[in-house]
Amino acid sequence: MFDRVDPFIGTDAIDLSPPDGIAATWWFPKPQVGNTHPGACHPFGMVSACAYSGAYPTGYGVYDLGTEGLPTRRFDHLQASGFTHFQQSGTGAIRKYYNYVRVTPMLGPLDELGTSWRITDEVAEPGYYACTLESGIRCEITVGPKSAVHRYTFPSATDARVVVDLSQGGLAIDHGATVPLRAHMQTHGHAEAAGQITVEGAPLSFHLACDSPGWRQSLWYDRRLMEGSTRLEFDDIRPTTLRPFGLLWRGPVEAGGSVELRIGFSLRGTERAASNLSTDIATRQEAFDTRRTATKRAWREHLGTIAVETDDADRETVFASALYHSLIKPCFAPGESPFWPADGPFVFDLCTMWDIYRTQLPLISTLFPQRSVELANALLHICEEEGNLPIGYRMARGADRFARQGSALAHTFFADLCALEAPGIDWDWALSCMHSDLRRGYAEDYLERGVAHPITHTLDVAFAYHCTAVVSRQVGDEALAGQLEALADGWTAAFDQSSGLLVDSSFYEGGKWNYSFRILHDMATRIGFAGGDRRFVALLDEFFGYHADPVKQPGERPGKDEMDRGYALNRFEGMNNEPDMEVPWAYHYAGRPDRTTEVVRAAIDQQFGPGRGGLAGNDDSGGLSSWYVWASLGLFPVAGQNLFLVNAPSFAHATVDVGGTPLTIEAPGFVEPERGRPCQYVQEVRLDGELVDRSWLGGHELRGGRRLDIVLGDRPSTWATSTRPPSASTSDSLARTPGAP
């Protein structure tokens, strides 16, 4: 799988074949670009490194700030003014853009620092990025969990330089720069230095070591060398007084001569940064190649948790790259919390929970359960120290507040782990945090008035009560569980039973229809609000554009009228947005898994592809890529309910390492998909040879299984049409009859 990954997928505007069928009726409200970067990353590592142009939103590429329509170019060509560390992955306007500690190889004087050179000959693989600047310098970067190694190969020069700029941060867009609040730096001999910058309230420390025999080391300030100085100290920096500052090494080099720069990072001081560097890169000899090999090995292990078989190289590349993008974030940084003194688990770049809780977090829990436990404990520490379970969490001081999008979503993650009886979590502690969190923010409106606006918060909070009841029952507090379940029933206040849709409210990046079909814990009652199965299916058909005309996507910098016309379609937003990414599987709850197959197949085949423009929307820290991984396997996790919905897979054969146990997924009758060929439907499902005449598997079934056979055929069958996935209001969910409210 490693050899098929293309880290460049998603770095450019969407470049896919024009859609047809129902996919041509879907409308995209968000930017038509993946917003990924090809930089070097370690699986779930703290550090990333990439060529820096200042473009939106990762610092790599050519685009300006954009939140709707086709992205607008800021630059005519790929370029870089250096190479920075810490990038977001696939996100949008989150206002924390990192790109700290810029390293620039140069042939000219410091006055040229900040020049952007055209870049060519780019190469990227998991854990490695390389390009050539138009100055002729070949640039390579690899990373460890808490470190980076740069290697620069120069043309012949009498005064080549490697310049470290500590004042650089953020993006080159309006209001996108990040200015350090404080900074200090100390040299240690001619080859090493250490320091710290405080950025967005986070103290980022570093230890640098440069393998440059015969070169001179100098501090610099305001593009002037500070010969003889060994320390820089800035106690109070303001944007109006900021002057660039940093460190450089310079000297003669023959053509083909290389310089390596090793950087250890920490959020807990320079001594720990030096220790992290020593741990990640134990030797100076061939440090770059040694670190690259170790990171490649880590990526092979992580990517090896899933294997698929296909003769189509492009499809294999798309799948491998989706799995890769699913394993970049969150950033696990054990022992690195800068905001409280205790060691232990620390995680940042949860960007953001509403993007990842449905798809990526269940994928991590399935493939790497110990990582999920580590994440859960990190969230509990955040709650204990900062007073709430976060919706997003970044390398910045203070919890993220996103008033319009989501609330109380960490509870969903905890419910899944609790149902799995994941060891290593103090569930009494977890229950206390979850319960306390439901007394804050929008949850207070829910408790006092029975409803919270935006109305999606009513659904969030009600489901969080349901998830908290799961944990309460696990620890043996049945009385509390009963109280919580009664509060979980309040989701009904969010719906207008005359329309079967949500009540009027404000909505973010979508409208009433986009949020009306999420998979709730009581889908039986919810479908009853729509008038029963047939009416619910009719609403879904309208939402997904069955029998509708093709639509025109927003262009560059669309105006309000253009966007309002699009929202008025009340249409599925495809894989361009997250609010309705689970909705194709809502058909399962109305006995129409064939419809799920049609929608999912249209999305897989037409909204993902090879090449830089291969994503239909922001990857959002791997949330979108994780959707593709699940959908391709013929499974979809119902987050917070320990449930997996079954659908037609996109490969004839796949193996999945489910928490250390291999699960084989076979698809007898499978035919490789081709554009224009009708999709295939599930005819029969067997788990370890036993017939499964229902459209779901429980979490323990999936984790205990060894072989899942999903037999496919060219026509819809009666499979799973007379059963329904579990629902809170039905004591016997298997016995629900089609059409019943």
Side-chain angles (χ1 to χ4, degrees), residues 360-391:
Q360 188 200 28
L361 295 187
L363 187 64
I364 295 173
S365 298
T366 300
L367 301 178
F368 310 102
Q370 282 306 113
R371 283 291 196 190
S372 289
V373 171
E374 185 179 351
L375 173 58
N377 283 310
L379 292 174
L380 294 176
H381 279 292
I382 293 169
C383 184
E384 186 173 67
E385 293 286 344
E386 300 191 2
N388 64 281
L389 288 167
I391 299 301

Side-chain angles (χ1 to χ4, degrees), residues 236 381 390 418 449 454 457 466 652 657 674 676:
D236 189 9
H381 279 292
C418 187
R449 290 178 279 277
H457 288 292
H466 171 78
D657 187 335
E674 296 178 4

Side-chain angles (χ1 to χ4, degrees), residues 409-689:
L409 300 179
H411 301 66
T412 305
F413 176 57
F414 281 109
D416 276 336
L417 292 183
C418 187
L420 295 175
E421 300 175 341
I425 299 173
D426 183 337
W427 286 110
D428 288 305
W429 182 27
L431 177 60
S432 175
C433 289
M434 295 168 72
H435 197 198
S436 296
D437 192 70
L438 288 170
R439 295 295 190 272
R440 298 185 180 93
Y442 286 96
E444 291 183 354
D445 293 340
Y446 182 88
L447 281 173
E448 293 175 3
R449 290 178 279 277
V451 66
H453 287 275
I455 199 63
T456 52
H457 288 292
T458 298
L459 301 181
D460 292 339
V461 175
F463 190 62
Y465 273 113
H466 171 78
C467 292
T468 308
V470 170
V471 177
S472 181
R473 189 157 279 116
Q474 172 72 16
V475 303
D477 194 336
E478 292 290 339
L480 178 59
Q483 296 171 20
L484 295 170
E485 286 171 344
L487 287 167
D489 290 340
W491 66 269
T492 58
F495 282 90
D496 176 358
Q497 296 189 38
S498 65
S499 68
L501 303 173
L502 290 173
V503 300
D504 290 336
S505 183
S506 59
F507 297 94
Y508 182 78
E509 290 181 341
K512 181 190 302 186
W513 284 68
N514 301 106
Y515 290 91
S516 284
F517 301 105
R518 68 190 292 179
I519 297 177
L520 308 174
H521 57 286
D522 189 359
M523 287 299 290
T525 299
R526 189 268 172 271
I527 291 173
F529 284 177
D533 286 348
R534 292 186 180 88
R535 174 60 180 152
F536 185 68
V537 168
L539 288 171
L540 285 174
D541 285 353
E542 184 176 353
F543 177 60
F544 284 111
Y546 278 92
H547 312 301
D549 294 329
V551 303
K552 180 181 179 182
Q553 301 301 342
E556 188 173 317
R557 299 189 184 280
K560 183 179 184 300
D561 289 345
E562 182 179 356
M563 296 302 294
D564 286 346
R565 287 194 298 272
Y567 282 124
L569 294 169
N570 300 322
R571 195 62 48 77
F572 180 51
E573 294 172 356
M575 296 300 102
N576 179 255
N577 203 7
E578 296 77 28
D580 45 29
M581 68 193 320
E582 68 195 300
V583 176
W585 282 269
Y587 281 114
H588 276 49
Y589 291 83
R592 292 298 303 273
D594 58 309
R595 283 293 206 233
T596 298
T597 298
E598 292 164 0
V599 174
V600 171
R601 169 67 185 275
I604 287 176
D605 289 355
Q606 301 191 49
Q607 298 201 318
F608 297 85
R612 293 177 182 251
L615 289 179
N618 296 359
D619 195 48
D620 286 310
S621 294
L624 177 58
S625 287
S626 297
W627 184 97
Y628 183 86
V629 170
W630 283 118
S632 297
L633 294 173
L635 297 167
F636 191 78
V638 184
Q641 300 187 48
N642 193 31
L643 197 67
F644 292 84
L645 302 177
V646 181
N647 186 44
S650 292
F651 298 98
H653 174 87
T655 57
V656 184
D657 187 335
V658 182
T661 301
L663 171 68
T664 298
I665 302 175
E666 298 281 357
F670 176 85
V671 176
E672 283 283 341
E674 296 178 4
R675 190 66 178 262
R677 187 189 187 282
C679 63
Q680 293 185 287
Y681 301 88
V682 178
Q683 308 293 306
E684 178 181 285
V685 173
R686 292 183 179 272
L687 181 64
D688 293 333

Side-chain angles (χ1 to χ4, degrees), residues 333-409:
E336 294 291 345
S337 169
F339 307 130
W340 54 85
D343 287 338
F346 181 70
V347 175
F348 61 90
D349 279 2
L350 287 165
C351 296
T352 49
M353 195 71 80
W354 68 82
D355 295 326
I356 65 176
Y357 85 97
R358 297 177 182 91
T359 56
Q360 188 200 28
L361 295 187
L363 187 64
I364 295 173
S365 298
T366 300
L367 301 178
F368 310 102
Q370 282 306 113
R371 283 291 196 190
S372 289
V373 171
E374 185 179 351
L375 173 58
N377 283 310
L379 292 174
L380 294 176
H381 279 292
I382 293 169
C383 184
E384 186 173 67
E385 293 286 344
E386 300 191 2
N388 64 281
L389 288 167
I391 299 301
Y393 203 80
R394 297 175 294 211
M395 191 172 67
R397 184 62 175 171
D400 291 329
R401 308 291 182 185
F402 297 99
R404 294 178 291 174
Q405 284 104 318
S407 62
L409 300 179

Side-chain angles (χ1 to χ4, degrees), residues 56 65 67 92-97 173-176 178 200 394:
Y56 178 85
L65 172 67
T67 58
I94 61 171
R95 301 301 177 194
K96 300 288 189 299
Y97 298 118
I173 62 174
D174 291 341
H175 310 294
T178 298
E200 303 284 3
R394 297 175 294 211

